[in-house]
Amino acid sequence: MRPESKTGAGPGVTTPGRVWFVGAGPGDPDLITVKGRNLLEAAGAILYAGSLVDRAATMFAPAGCEIRDSKDMTLEEMTDWLIDRAGRHATVVRLQTGDPSLYGALIEMTRPLTAAGIAWAVVPGVSSAMAAMAAAGETLTLPEVTQTVIFTRVAGRTPMPPGEDLAALAAHKTTLCIFLSITLLHKVQDALRASGWAEDAPILVVQKASWPSEEKIVCGTLADIKRKCQAEKIASQAMIVASPALGAADWPDLIRSKLYDPAFSHRFRKATETIHD
Ligand code: SAH
C-alpha cells in the first residue's frame, strides 16, 4: 500500500501528482511567496537544495511530510526521487534558493519529469540579487545613471559561453550582479579593470542576504573589495554587485525619476507644475 501523508495523495489516487519548483527566496523564510508557502504546507514530499533553504522547508512542511536534502544527490537521483514521490503524493516540492530560473538546473530537472509524464510548474522566488540590494538599501537602476542589469558569473568549472566573459559585459558600465563568484573575486577585479572601471568604482558584497543574524554587508571599491571581504572572512554564499548607482543615497545631486516628477504627466497623473532646469 502506498504510504498515506496528511495532505498528499492517499490510497485510491491513481494519477501522479505535480512537482512544483518553488523559489524559497534568499534565506529568510518570510521571503518565500504566499503561493510557495501554501504548496509547502500541502506537500507530501519536499526535496530542498542545501543549507540556505532548510528553514523554510522544515518550518512550513506538514506533519508526516518527507523532507530530503539534495546536497549529496546526483541530478539523476534527484529526478528519480521526484518522479517516484510524484507517484505517491499530489503535491511534491523541489525547493530552491532565490528564484528557480537563475543557476538552478531547472531544465535539467524538468526534462526527465516531462519524459516520465509528470506534470510540473514553477513558482518564482526573490532572488539573492534583489535581497542583496534590499539589505544594503541600494537600487539596481537609477535614472540616467544605469537602466540595465546584468545577472552573470565568472567562469569556474562551468565555462562562460562565447561573448559572455565578464570583461565584455562590464564594458557596458551598467549594473552587474555577479553570482557564484566570491572565491574568484580576483577574476572579477581583473575583468572590471580590463574594461576600464576606475579603482574607486564602488563594489558591494552581501553574504547571506536576508539572514537576520548572519548577513554581512561589505561596501568597498574595485581596489579594496577583496581585502575587505578577506577581513570579514567572506568566502561563500555572497552576491557581488558592481554598479555606477551604488552609494547614490549620499550623492549631492541626483537626477529624478521622471515617473514621480511633478512636471511629468502619465496615464495615472496629470502634470501639476512645470519645472525648468
Ligand atoms: N537561484 C538563486 C541563485 C543560486 S546560485 C537566486 O536567485 O538567488 C547560488 C549563488 O547565489 C551564490 O553563490 C551566491 O552568489 C548567491 N546567493 C544565494 N543566496 C544568497 C544570499 N542569501 N545572499 C547572497 N548571495 C546569495
Side-chain angles (χ1 to χ4, degrees), residues 26 52 97-99 102-103 127-129 178-180 206-209 211 237-239:
L52 277 175
T97 57
D99 182 80
L102 285 165
Y103 310 104
S127 174
S128 54
I178 307 168
F179 292 72
L180 296 161
V206 183
Q207 184 183 42
K208 290 199 161 188
W211 284 76
Q237 294 169 337
M239 175 62 50

Side-chain angles (χ1 to χ4, degrees), residues 222-244:
L222 178 53
D224 67 15
I225 192 68
K226 187 155 183 269
R227 185 179 50 73
K228 285 188 167 176
C229 286
Q230 279 168 342
E232 289 291 332
K233 298 191 170 46
I234 295 177
S236 66
Q237 294 169 337
M239 175 62 50
I240 306 164
V241 182
S243 170

Side-chain angles (χ1 to χ4, degrees), residues 129-190:
M130 282 70 191
M133 299 312 270
E138 296 281 0
T139 179
L140 289 169
T141 62
L142 198 62
E144 298 185 39
V145 175
T146 177
Q147 294 287 279
T148 305
V149 183
I150 296 175
F151 292 162
T152 190
R153 58 173 300 172
V154 293
R157 273 175 297 180
T158 306
M160 292 303 280
E164 291 193 25
D165 65 281
L166 187 59
L169 299 175
H172 293 284
K173 303 280 164 64
T174 182
T175 298
L176 300 162
C177 295
I178 307 168
F179 292 72
L180 296 161
S181 303
I182 193 65
T183 57
L184 303 168
L185 200 45
H186 57 285
K187 283 195 184 182
V188 173
Q189 289 174 304
D190 291 348

